[in-house]
Amino acid sequence: MNPLTIAIDGPAGAGKSTIAKTVANKLNLLYLDTGAMYRTCGLLCQRAGLSSGDVEQIIALVDTANIDVRFEHGDQHVYLDEEDVSEAIRKPEISVWASDVSAIPEVRLKMVAMQRAIAARQPLVMDGRDIGTYVLPDAELKIFLTARPEVRARRRFAELEAKAPGSTCYDDVLRDINYRDQQDSGRLFAPLKQAADAVLLDSSDLSIAETVEQVLALAKGLQV
Ligand code: DC
Protein backbone atom coordinates (compact mmCIF):
# COMPACT_ATOMS: atom_id res chain seq x y z
CA MET A 1 0.00 0.00 0.00
CA ASN A 2 1.29 3.46 -0.82
CA PRO A 3 1.70 5.74 2.21
CA LEU A 4 -0.70 8.69 2.29
CA THR A 5 -0.42 12.19 3.63
CA ILE A 6 -3.36 12.79 5.95
CA ALA A 7 -4.52 16.21 7.18
CA ILE A 8 -6.68 16.31 10.31
CA ASP A 9 -8.17 19.67 11.24
CA GLY A 10 -10.73 20.69 13.79
CA PRO A 11 -11.45 22.77 16.89
CA ALA A 12 -9.73 22.47 20.27
CA GLY A 13 -10.47 19.28 22.16
CA ALA A 14 -11.98 17.34 19.26
CA GLY A 15 -9.45 14.56 19.86
CA LYS A 16 -7.24 15.37 16.88
CA SER A 17 -3.92 14.53 18.50
CA THR A 18 -5.09 11.21 19.99
CA ILE A 19 -6.69 10.14 16.72
CA ALA A 20 -3.84 11.44 14.53
CA LYS A 21 -1.19 9.75 16.67
CA THR A 22 -3.01 6.38 16.67
CA VAL A 23 -3.70 6.50 12.93
CA ALA A 24 -0.07 7.42 12.25
CA ASN A 25 1.11 4.48 14.38
CA LYS A 26 -1.18 2.02 12.64
CA LEU A 27 -0.12 3.23 9.18
CA ASN A 28 3.53 3.54 10.16
CA LEU A 29 3.59 7.25 9.35
CA LEU A 30 5.19 10.20 11.10
CA TYR A 31 2.79 12.36 13.14
CA LEU A 32 3.22 16.13 13.30
CA ASP A 33 1.21 18.09 15.88
CA THR A 34 1.29 21.66 14.55
CA GLY A 35 -0.51 23.06 17.61
CA ALA A 36 2.65 22.33 19.62
CA MET A 37 4.52 24.78 17.40
CA TYR A 38 2.06 27.64 18.03
CA ARG A 39 2.08 26.72 21.72
CA THR A 40 5.88 27.11 21.73
CA CYS A 41 5.48 30.61 20.26
CA GLY A 42 2.91 31.35 22.97
CA LEU A 43 5.24 30.12 25.71
CA LEU A 44 8.02 32.29 24.34
CA CYS A 45 5.81 35.39 24.49
CA GLN A 46 4.47 34.57 27.94
CA ARG A 47 7.99 34.11 29.29
CA ALA A 48 9.01 37.43 27.74
CA GLY A 49 6.27 39.12 29.76
CA LEU A 50 4.43 40.35 26.66
CA SER A 51 0.68 40.72 26.36
CA SER A 52 -1.30 39.49 23.38
CA GLY A 53 -1.75 43.03 22.07
CA ASP A 54 2.03 43.56 21.68
CA VAL A 55 1.88 42.44 18.07
CA GLU A 56 5.11 44.11 16.84
CA GLN A 57 7.14 42.66 19.74
CA ILE A 58 5.59 39.23 19.24
CA ILE A 59 6.51 39.26 15.55
CA ALA A 60 10.09 40.31 16.32
CA LEU A 61 10.47 37.73 19.10
CA VAL A 62 9.12 34.81 17.05
CA ASP A 63 11.14 35.92 14.02
CA THR A 64 14.45 35.56 15.85
CA ALA A 65 13.42 32.61 18.05
CA ASN A 66 15.19 29.31 17.76
CA ILE A 67 12.23 26.91 17.57
CA ASP A 68 12.84 23.36 16.47
CA VAL A 69 10.76 20.21 16.05
CA ARG A 70 12.57 16.89 16.53
CA PHE A 71 11.36 13.32 16.37
CA GLU A 72 12.90 11.17 19.07
CA HIS A 73 12.00 7.45 19.00
CA GLY A 74 9.00 8.42 16.86
CA ASP A 75 7.74 11.01 19.38
CA GLN A 76 7.62 14.70 18.60
CA HIS A 77 9.51 17.10 20.86
CA VAL A 78 9.54 20.87 20.51
CA TYR A 79 12.61 22.84 21.47
CA LEU A 80 13.01 26.48 22.32
CA ASP A 81 16.67 27.47 22.34
CA GLU A 82 17.69 23.85 22.95
CA GLU A 83 15.25 23.50 25.89
CA ASP A 84 12.70 20.70 25.46
CA VAL A 85 9.42 22.54 26.16
CA SER A 86 7.08 19.68 25.17
CA GLU A 87 5.58 19.52 28.69
CA ALA A 88 5.65 23.25 29.51
CA ILE A 89 3.45 24.09 26.49
CA ARG A 90 0.56 21.95 27.75
CA LYS A 91 -0.59 24.37 30.47
CA PRO A 92 -4.10 25.87 29.92
CA GLU A 93 -2.80 29.47 29.86
CA ILE A 94 -0.48 28.48 27.00
CA SER A 95 -3.49 27.19 25.00
CA VAL A 96 -4.96 30.69 25.06
CA TRP A 97 -1.56 32.26 24.29
CA ALA A 98 -1.14 29.88 21.34
CA SER A 99 -4.51 30.86 19.94
CA ASP A 100 -3.67 34.57 20.35
CA VAL A 101 -0.26 34.44 18.63
CA SER A 102 -1.49 32.11 15.89
CA ALA A 103 -3.79 34.87 14.62
CA ILE A 104 -0.71 36.88 13.55
CA PRO A 105 0.13 36.15 9.88
CA GLU A 106 3.92 36.59 10.34
CA VAL A 107 3.91 33.96 13.08
CA ARG A 108 1.89 31.58 10.92
CA LEU A 109 4.17 32.01 7.90
CA LYS A 110 7.23 30.96 9.90
CA MET A 111 5.45 27.88 11.35
CA VAL A 112 3.89 26.90 8.01
CA ALA A 113 7.33 26.98 6.31
CA MET A 114 8.63 24.51 8.93
CA GLN A 115 5.54 22.32 8.58
CA ARG A 116 5.83 22.15 4.79
CA ALA A 117 9.55 21.38 5.00
CA ILE A 118 8.84 18.41 7.31
CA ALA A 119 6.01 17.21 5.03
CA ALA A 120 8.29 17.44 1.98
CA ARG A 121 10.59 14.80 3.50
CA GLN A 122 8.02 11.98 3.96
CA PRO A 123 4.30 11.22 3.94
CA LEU A 124 2.78 11.93 7.35
CA VAL A 125 -0.29 12.63 9.44
CA MET A 126 -0.45 16.32 10.33
CA ASP A 127 -3.06 17.88 12.58
CA GLY A 128 -4.01 21.49 13.21
CA ARG A 129 -6.52 24.07 12.04
CA ASP A 130 -5.44 24.98 8.49
CA ILE A 131 -3.67 21.85 7.27
CA GLY A 132 -6.22 20.81 4.64
CA THR A 133 -7.06 24.35 3.59
CA TYR A 134 -3.66 26.02 3.58
CA VAL A 135 -0.58 24.03 4.69
CA LEU A 136 -1.12 20.87 2.63
CA PRO A 137 -3.94 21.56 0.18
CA ASP A 138 -2.91 18.46 -1.83
CA ALA A 139 -3.12 16.01 1.08
CA GLU A 140 -4.66 12.75 -0.15
CA LEU A 141 -7.02 12.45 2.80
CA LYS A 142 -8.51 15.37 4.72
CA ILE A 143 -10.56 14.93 7.86
CA PHE A 144 -12.42 17.67 9.70
CA LEU A 145 -12.79 16.25 13.19
CA THR A 146 -15.23 17.96 15.47
CA ALA A 147 -17.44 17.38 18.52
CA ARG A 148 -19.93 19.42 20.51
CA PRO A 149 -18.23 22.12 22.66
CA GLU A 150 -19.46 20.58 25.93
CA VAL A 151 -18.09 17.17 24.93
CA ARG A 152 -14.74 18.71 23.98
CA ALA A 153 -14.57 20.64 27.26
CA ARG A 154 -15.39 17.50 29.24
CA ARG A 155 -12.61 15.56 27.50
CA ARG A 156 -10.06 18.33 27.95
CA PHE A 157 -11.06 18.74 31.62
CA ALA A 158 -10.61 14.98 32.23
CA GLU A 159 -7.14 15.15 30.63
CA LEU A 160 -6.08 18.10 32.81
CA GLU A 161 -7.53 16.47 35.94
CA ALA A 162 -5.59 13.29 35.26
CA LYS A 163 -2.34 15.28 35.01
CA ALA A 164 -2.88 17.80 37.81
CA PRO A 165 -6.00 17.14 39.94
CA GLY A 166 -7.77 20.30 41.13
CA SER A 167 -5.72 22.62 38.90
CA THR A 168 -8.71 23.83 36.91
CA CYS A 169 -12.50 23.56 36.74
CA TYR A 170 -14.84 22.48 33.96
CA ASP A 171 -16.35 25.97 33.49
CA ASP A 172 -12.91 27.51 32.89
CA VAL A 173 -12.05 24.80 30.36
CA LEU A 174 -15.36 25.37 28.51
CA ARG A 175 -14.75 29.13 28.51
CA ASP A 176 -11.25 28.67 27.01
CA ILE A 177 -12.62 26.29 24.37
CA ASN A 178 -15.33 28.77 23.37
CA TYR A 179 -12.79 31.62 23.26
CA ARG A 180 -10.43 29.61 21.06
CA ASP A 181 -13.24 28.37 18.77
CA GLN A 182 -14.27 31.93 18.11
CA GLN A 183 -10.74 33.26 17.66
CA ASP A 184 -9.37 30.33 15.59
CA SER A 185 -12.38 30.42 13.23
CA GLY A 186 -12.67 34.20 13.12
CA ARG A 187 -9.11 35.20 12.21
CA LEU A 188 -8.53 36.53 8.71
CA PHE A 189 -5.48 34.52 7.67
CA ALA A 190 -5.84 30.71 7.36
CA PRO A 191 -8.71 30.35 9.84
CA LEU A 192 -10.06 27.07 11.18
CA LYS A 193 -12.37 25.92 8.40
CA GLN A 194 -13.42 22.65 6.84
CA ALA A 195 -11.77 22.21 3.43
CA ALA A 196 -14.23 21.67 0.59
CA ASP A 197 -12.79 18.19 0.02
CA ALA A 198 -12.52 17.18 3.71
CA VAL A 199 -14.62 14.45 5.29
CA LEU A 200 -16.57 15.70 8.31
CA LEU A 201 -16.30 13.42 11.33
CA ASP A 202 -18.25 14.28 14.49
CA SER A 203 -16.74 12.31 17.37
CA SER A 204 -19.25 13.49 20.02
CA ASP A 205 -20.84 10.07 20.32
CA LEU A 206 -17.91 7.94 19.16
CA SER A 207 -15.16 6.28 21.18
CA ILE A 208 -11.52 6.86 20.27
CA ALA A 209 -11.36 3.36 18.77
CA GLU A 210 -14.48 3.99 16.66
CA THR A 211 -13.13 7.32 15.41
CA VAL A 212 -9.77 5.74 14.53
CA GLU A 213 -11.60 2.95 12.67
CA GLN A 214 -13.46 5.50 10.55
CA VAL A 215 -10.28 7.34 9.59
CA LEU A 216 -8.49 4.06 8.79
CA ALA A 217 -11.44 2.94 6.65
CA LEU A 218 -11.27 6.21 4.71
CA ALA A 219 -7.50 5.81 4.25
CA LYS A 220 -7.94 2.21 3.11
CA GLY A 221 -10.60 3.30 0.63
CA LEU A 222 -8.06 5.59 -1.01
CA GLN A 223 -5.36 2.94 -1.15
CA VAL A 224 -7.26 0.23 -3.05
O1 DC B 1 -4.19 22.00 18.69
P1 DC B 1 -3.80 22.87 19.90
O2 DC B 1 -4.90 23.00 20.90
O3 DC B 1 -2.52 22.41 20.52
O4 DC B 1 -3.52 24.33 19.27
C1 DC B 1 -3.24 25.46 20.06
C2 DC B 1 -3.63 26.72 19.30
O5 DC B 1 -2.74 26.89 18.19
C3 DC B 1 -5.04 26.73 18.71
O6 DC B 1 -5.99 27.31 19.58
C4 DC B 1 -4.90 27.54 17.44
C5 DC B 1 -3.44 27.40 17.06
N1 DC B 1 -3.21 26.55 15.90
C6 DC B 1 -3.36 27.12 14.66
O7 DC B 1 -3.74 28.29 14.56
N2 DC B 1 -3.07 26.41 13.54
C7 DC B 1 -2.66 25.14 13.62
N3 DC B 1 -2.37 24.48 12.51
C8 DC B 1 -2.54 24.51 14.89
C9 DC B 1 -2.84 25.25 16.01
Side-chain angles (χ1 to χ4, degrees):
M1 285 201 295
N2 289 332
L4 298 173
T5 285
I6 302 177
I8 304 184
D9 290 302
K16 295 186 299 296
S17 49
T18 308
I19 303 305
K21 194 184 249 180
T22 313
V23 166
N25 262 329
K26 298 226 181 226
L27 298 179
N28 205 16
L29 292 170
L30 188 77
Y31 162 52
L32 179 66
D33 165 9
T34 62
M37 300 166 72
Y38 293 98
R39 286 171 178 270
T40 305
C41 297
L43 179 71
L44 173 74
C45 297
Q46 188 221 31
R47 284 182 174 176
L50 297 180
S51 75
S52 58
D54 300 328
V55 175
E56 291 310 316
Q57 287 106 308
I58 292 174
I59 293 171
L61 195 59
V62 171
D63 183 41
T64 53
N66 183 15
I67 295 170
D68 197 15
V69 178
R70 296 181 201 158
F71 297 93
E72 297 165 5
H73 310 293
D75 279 333
Q76 175 180 333
H77 290 256
V78 274
Y79 284 81
L80 186 54
D81 290 326
E82 291 305 316
E83 175 193 352
D84 185 346
V85 294
S86 309
E87 274 299 311
I89 58 170
R90 295 294 154 197
K91 298 202 182 84
E93 66 268 27
I94 301 302
S95 306
V96 173
W97 254 113
S99 178
D100 288 343
V101 300
S102 72
I104 302 173
E106 288 84 349
V107 172
R108 301 199 70 77
L109 288 174
K110 178 165 172 168
M111 297 305 116
V112 168
M114 290 170 69
Q115 292 156 15
R116 287 183 176 152
I118 295 168
R121 293 201 290 263
Q122 73 279 291
L124 79 181
V125 181
M126 195 184 287
D127 79 359
R129 303 292 187 287
D130 59 340
I131 311 306
T133 52
Y134 183 74
V135 182
L136 303 175
D138 297 330
E140 282 106 337
L141 176 60
K142 299 179 185 178
I143 307 283
F144 193 81
L145 185 65
T146 189
R148 293 187 293 276
E150 295 72 20
V151 174
R152 292 188 276 122
R154 230 186 303 124
R155 288 178 186 159
R156 195 37 73 85
F157 177 63
E159 251 172 52
L160 292 167
E161 272 294 288
K163 268 199 219 158
S167 62
T168 185
C169 66
Y170 169 81
D171 287 344
D172 285 353
V173 175
L174 180 61
R175 192 202 52 220
D176 284 359
I177 291 235
N178 284 329
Y179 172 82
R180 289 206 283 152
D181 278 3
Q182 208 182 7
Q183 179 155 264
D184 297 345
S185 316
R187 68 175 176 238
L188 291 175
F189 182 50
L192 165 66
K193 200 171 88 181
Q194 183 180 344
D197 52 352
V199 178
L200 177 66
L201 203 51
D202 186 328
S203 72
S204 300
D205 302 311
L206 297 178
S207 67
I208 292 172
E210 287 167 334
T211 313
V212 167
E213 274 317 306
Q214 295 217 14
V215 177
L216 289 175
L218 289 163
K220 208 166 163 207
L222 286 174
Q223 286 172 319
V224 287

Coordinates of all heavy atoms in Angstrom, one line a residue, residues 52-98:
S52 N -0.9 39.9 24.7 CA -1.3 39.5 23.4 C -1.5 40.7 22.4 O -1.4 40.5 21.2 CB -2.6 38.6 23.4 OG -3.6 39.4 24.0
G53 N -1.6 41.9 23.0 CA -1.7 43.0 22.1 C -0.4 43.6 21.6 O -0.4 44.4 20.7
D54 N 0.7 43.1 22.1 CA 2.0 43.6 21.7 C 2.5 42.9 20.4 O 3.5 42.2 20.3 CB 3.1 43.2 22.7 CG 2.8 43.9 24.1 OD1 2.2 45.0 24.1 OD2 3.1 43.3 25.1
V55 N 1.7 43.2 19.3 CA 1.9 42.4 18.1 C 3.3 42.6 17.5 O 3.9 41.7 17.1 CB 0.8 42.8 17.0 CG1 1.0 42.2 15.7 CG2 -0.6 42.4 17.6
E56 N 3.8 43.9 17.4 CA 5.1 44.1 16.8 C 6.2 43.3 17.6 O 7.1 42.7 17.0 CB 5.4 45.6 16.8 CG 4.6 46.4 15.8 CD 4.5 45.8 14.4 OE1 5.6 45.4 13.9 OE2 3.4 45.7 13.9
Q57 N 6.1 43.4 18.9 CA 7.1 42.7 19.7 C 7.0 41.2 19.5 O 8.0 40.5 19.5 CB 7.0 43.0 21.2 CG 7.5 44.4 21.6 CD 6.3 45.3 21.9 OE1 5.4 45.4 21.1 NE2 6.3 45.9 23.1
I58 N 5.8 40.7 19.4 CA 5.6 39.2 19.2 C 6.2 38.8 17.9 O 7.0 37.8 17.8 CB 4.1 38.9 19.3 CG1 3.5 39.1 20.7 CG2 3.9 37.4 18.8 CD1 2.0 38.9 20.8
I59 N 6.0 39.6 16.9 CA 6.5 39.3 15.5 C 8.0 39.2 15.6 O 8.7 38.3 15.1 CB 6.0 40.3 14.5 CG1 4.5 40.1 14.3 CG2 6.8 40.1 13.2 CD1 3.9 41.2 13.4
A60 N 8.6 40.2 16.3 CA 10.1 40.3 16.3 C 10.7 39.1 17.1 O 11.7 38.5 16.7 CB 10.5 41.6 16.9
L61 N 10.0 38.8 18.2 CA 10.5 37.7 19.1 C 10.4 36.4 18.4 O 11.4 35.6 18.4 CB 9.6 37.7 20.4 CG 10.1 36.9 21.6 CD1 11.4 37.5 22.0 CD2 9.0 37.1 22.7
V62 N 9.3 36.1 17.7 CA 9.1 34.8 17.0 C 10.1 34.7 15.9 O 10.7 33.7 15.6 CB 7.6 34.6 16.6 CG1 7.5 33.4 15.7 CG2 6.7 34.5 17.8
D63 N 10.3 35.9 15.2 CA 11.1 35.9 14.0 C 12.6 35.5 14.4 O 13.2 34.7 13.6 CB 11.1 37.3 13.4 CG 12.0 37.4 12.2 OD1 11.8 36.5 11.4 OD2 12.7 38.4 12.0
T64 N 13.1 35.9 15.5 CA 14.4 35.6 15.9 C 14.5 34.3 16.7 O 15.7 33.9 17.1 CB 15.1 36.7 16.6 OG1 14.3 37.1 17.7 CG2 15.3 37.9 15.7
A65 N 13.4 33.7 17.1 CA 13.4 32.6 18.1 C 14.0 31.4 17.4 O 13.8 31.1 16.2 CB 12.0 32.3 18.5
N66 N 14.6 30.6 18.2 CA 15.2 29.3 17.8 C 14.2 28.2 18.2 O 14.4 27.6 19.2 CB 16.6 29.2 18.4 CG 17.3 27.9 17.9 OD1 16.9 27.3 16.9 ND2 18.3 27.5 18.6
I67 N 13.2 27.9 17.3 CA 12.2 26.9 17.6 C 12.5 25.7 16.7 O 12.8 25.9 15.5 CB 10.8 27.5 17.3 CG1 10.5 28.6 18.3 CG2 9.8 26.4 17.4 CD1 9.2 29.4 17.9
D68 N 12.5 24.5 17.3 CA 12.8 23.4 16.5 C 11.9 22.2 16.8 O 11.5 22.1 18.0 CB 14.3 23.0 16.8 CG 14.9 22.0 15.8 OD1 14.3 21.9 14.7 OD2 15.9 21.4 16.0
V69 N 11.6 21.4 15.8 CA 10.8 20.2 16.0 C 11.7 19.0 15.8 O 12.3 18.9 14.7 CB 9.6 20.2 15.1 CG1 8.7 18.9 15.3 CG2 8.7 21.4 15.3
R70 N 11.7 18.1 16.7 CA 12.6 16.9 16.5 C 11.7 15.7 16.8 O 10.9 15.7 17.7 CB 13.8 16.9 17.5 CG 14.7 18.1 17.2 CD 15.9 18.1 18.1 NE 16.5 19.4 18.1 CZ 17.3 19.9 19.0 NH1 17.6 19.2 20.1 NH2 17.7 21.2 18.9
F71 N 12.1 14.6 16.1 CA 11.4 13.3 16.4 C 12.3 12.4 17.0 O 13.4 12.0 16.5 CB 10.8 12.8 15.0 CG 9.8 13.7 14.5 CD1 10.2 14.7 13.5 CD2 8.5 13.7 14.9 CE1 9.3 15.6 13.0 CE2 7.6 14.6 14.3 CZ 8.0 15.5 13.4
E72 N 12.0 12.0 18.3 CA 12.9 11.2 19.1 C 12.2 9.9 19.4 O 11.1 9.9 20.0 CB 13.3 11.9 20.3 CG 14.1 13.2 20.0 CD 14.3 14.1 21.2 OE1 13.9 13.8 22.3 OE2 14.9 15.2 20.9
H73 N 12.7 8.7 18.9 CA 12.0 7.4 19.0 C 10.5 7.6 18.5 O 9.6 7.1 19.1 CB 12.0 6.9 20.5 CG 13.4 7.0 21.0 ND1 14.4 6.2 20.6 CD2 13.9 7.8 22.0 CE1 15.5 6.5 21.3 NE2 15.3 7.4 22.1
G74 N 10.3 8.3 17.4 CA 9.0 8.4 16.9 C 8.1 9.5 17.5 O 7.1 9.8 17.0
D75 N 8.6 10.0 18.7 CA 7.7 11.0 19.4 C 8.2 12.4 19.1 O 9.4 12.7 19.0 CB 7.8 10.8 20.9 CG 6.9 9.7 21.4 OD1 5.9 9.5 20.7 OD2 7.3 9.1 22.4
Q76 N 7.3 13.3 18.9 CA 7.6 14.7 18.6 C 8.0 15.5 19.9 O 7.3 15.4 20.9 CB 6.4 15.4 18.0 CG 6.6 16.8 17.7 CD 5.3 17.4 17.0 OE1 4.6 16.8 16.4 NE2 5.1 18.7 17.3
H77 N 9.1 16.2 19.8 CA 9.5 17.1 20.9 C 9.7 18.5 20.3 O 10.2 18.6 19.2 CB 10.8 16.6 21.5 CG 10.7 15.4 22.3 ND1 10.6 15.4 23.7 CD2 10.5 14.1 21.9 CE1 10.5 14.1 24.1 NE2 10.4 13.3 23.0
V78 N 9.3 19.5 21.0 CA 9.5 20.9 20.5 C 10.6 21.5 21.4 O 10.5 21.4 22.6 CB 8.3 21.8 20.4 CG1 7.6 21.6 19.1 CG2 7.3 21.5 21.6
Y79 N 11.5 22.2 20.8 CA 12.6 22.8 21.5 C 12.6 24.3 21.3 O 12.3 24.8 20.2 CB 13.9 22.3 20.9 CG 14.3 20.9 21.4 CD1 13.7 19.8 20.8 CD2 15.1 20.7 22.5 CE1 14.0 18.5 21.3 CE2 15.4 19.4 23.0 CZ 14.8 18.4 22.4 OH 15.1 17.1 22.8
L80 N 12.9 25.0 22.4 CA 13.0 26.5 22.3 C 14.4 26.8 22.8 O 14.7 26.4 24.0 CB 12.0 27.1 23.3 CG 11.8 28.6 23.3 CD1 11.5 29.2 21.9 CD2 10.6 28.9 24.2
D81 N 15.3 27.3 22.0 CA 16.7 27.5 22.3 C 17.3 26.3 23.1 O 17.8 26.4 24.1 CB 16.8 28.7 23.3 CG 16.5 30.0 22.5 OD1 16.9 30.0 21.3 OD2 15.9 30.9 23.1
E82 N 17.1 25.1 22.4 CA 17.7 23.8 23.0 C 17.0 23.3 24.2 O 17.5 22.3 24.8 CB 19.2 24.0 23.2 CG 20.0 24.1 21.8 CD 19.7 22.9 20.9 OE1 19.7 21.8 21.3 OE2 19.5 23.2 19.7
E83 N 16.0 24.0 24.7 CA 15.3 23.5 25.9 C 14.0 22.7 25.4 O 13.3 23.2 24.6 CB 14.8 24.7 26.8 CG 13.9 24.2 27.9 CD 13.2 25.4 28.6 OE1 13.4 26.6 28.3 OE2 12.3 25.1 29.4
D84 N 13.9 21.5 25.9 CA 12.7 20.7 25.5 C 11.5 21.2 26.2 O 11.4 21.1 27.4 CB 12.9 19.2 25.8 CG 11.8 18.3 25.3 OD1 10.7 18.9 24.9 OD2 12.0 17.1 25.3
V85 N 10.6 21.9 25.5 CA 9.4 22.5 26.2 C 8.1 21.7 25.9 O 7.0 22.3 26.2 CB 9.2 24.0 25.7 CG1 10.4 24.9 26.1 CG2 9.1 24.1 24.2
S86 N 8.3 20.5 25.5 CA 7.1 19.7 25.2 C 6.1 19.6 26.3 O 4.9 19.5 26.0 CB 7.5 18.3 24.8 OG 8.5 18.3 23.8
E87 N 6.5 19.6 27.6 CA 5.6 19.5 28.7 C 5.1 20.9 29.0 O 3.9 21.1 29.3 CB 6.3 18.9 29.9 CG 6.3 17.4 30.0 CD 4.9 16.8 30.0 OE1 4.1 17.3 30.9 OE2 4.6 16.0 29.2
A88 N 6.0 21.9 29.1 CA 5.7 23.2 29.5 C 4.5 23.9 28.6 O 3.8 24.7 29.1 CB 6.9 24.1 29.5
I89 N 4.4 23.5 27.4 CA 3.5 24.1 26.5 C 2.0 23.5 26.7 O 1.1 24.0 26.1 CB 3.8 23.9 25.0 CG1 4.0 22.4 24.7 CG2 5.1 24.7 24.7 CD1 4.1 22.1 23.2
R90 N 1.9 22.6 27.6 CA 0.6 21.9 27.8 C -0.3 22.7 28.8 O -1.4 22.3 29.0 CB 0.7 20.5 28.1 CG 1.4 19.6 27.0 CD 0.5 19.6 25.8 NE 1.2 19.3 24.6 CZ 0.7 19.5 23.3 NH1 -0.5 20.0 23.2 NH2 1.5 19.3 22.3
K91 N 0.2 23.7 29.4 CA -0.6 24.4 30.5 C -1.8 25.1 29.8 O -1.6 25.7 28.7 CB 0.3 25.4 31.2 CG 1.4 24.7 32.0 CD 1.9 25.6 33.1 CE 3.1 25.0 33.8 NZ 4.4 25.3 33.1
P92 N -2.9 25.2 30.5 CA -4.1 25.9 29.9 C -3.8 27.3 29.5 O -4.3 27.8 28.5 CB -5.1 25.8 31.0 CG -4.7 24.7 31.9 CD -3.2 24.6 31.8
E93 N -3.0 28.1 30.3 CA -2.8 29.5 29.9 C -2.0 29.5 28.5 O -2.1 30.5 27.8 CB -2.1 30.3 31.0 CG -0.7 29.9 31.3 CD -0.6 28.9 32.5 OE1 -1.6 28.1 32.6 OE2 0.4 28.8 33.2
I94 N -1.2 28.5 28.3 CA -0.5 28.5 27.0 C -1.4 28.2 25.8 O -1.2 28.6 24.7 CB 0.7 27.5 27.1 CG1 1.7 27.9 28.2 CG2 1.5 27.5 25.8 CD1 2.2 29.3 28.1
S95 N -2.5 27.4 26.1 CA -3.5 27.2 25.0 C -4.0 28.5 24.5 O -4.1 28.8 23.3 CB -4.7 26.4 25.5 OG -4.3 25.2 26.1
V96 N -4.4 29.4 25.4 CA -5.0 30.7 25.1 C -3.9 31.6 24.4 O -4.1 32.2 23.4 CB -5.6 31.4 26.3 CG1 -6.0 32.8 26.0 CG2 -6.7 30.6 26.8
W97 N -2.7 31.5 24.9 CA -1.6 32.3 24.3 C -1.3 31.8 22.8 O -1.1 32.6 21.9 CB -0.3 32.1 25.1 CG 0.1 33.3 25.9 CD1 0.2 33.4 27.3 CD2 0.6 34.5 25.4 NE1 0.6 34.6 27.6 CE2 0.8 35.4 26.5 CE3 0.8 35.0 24.1 CZ2 1.3 36.7 26.3 CZ3 1.2 36.3 23.9 CH2 1.5 37.1 25.0
A98 N -1.4 30.4 22.7 CA -1.1 29.9 21.3 C -2.2 30.4 20.4 O -1.9 30.7 19.2 CB -1.2 28.4 21.4

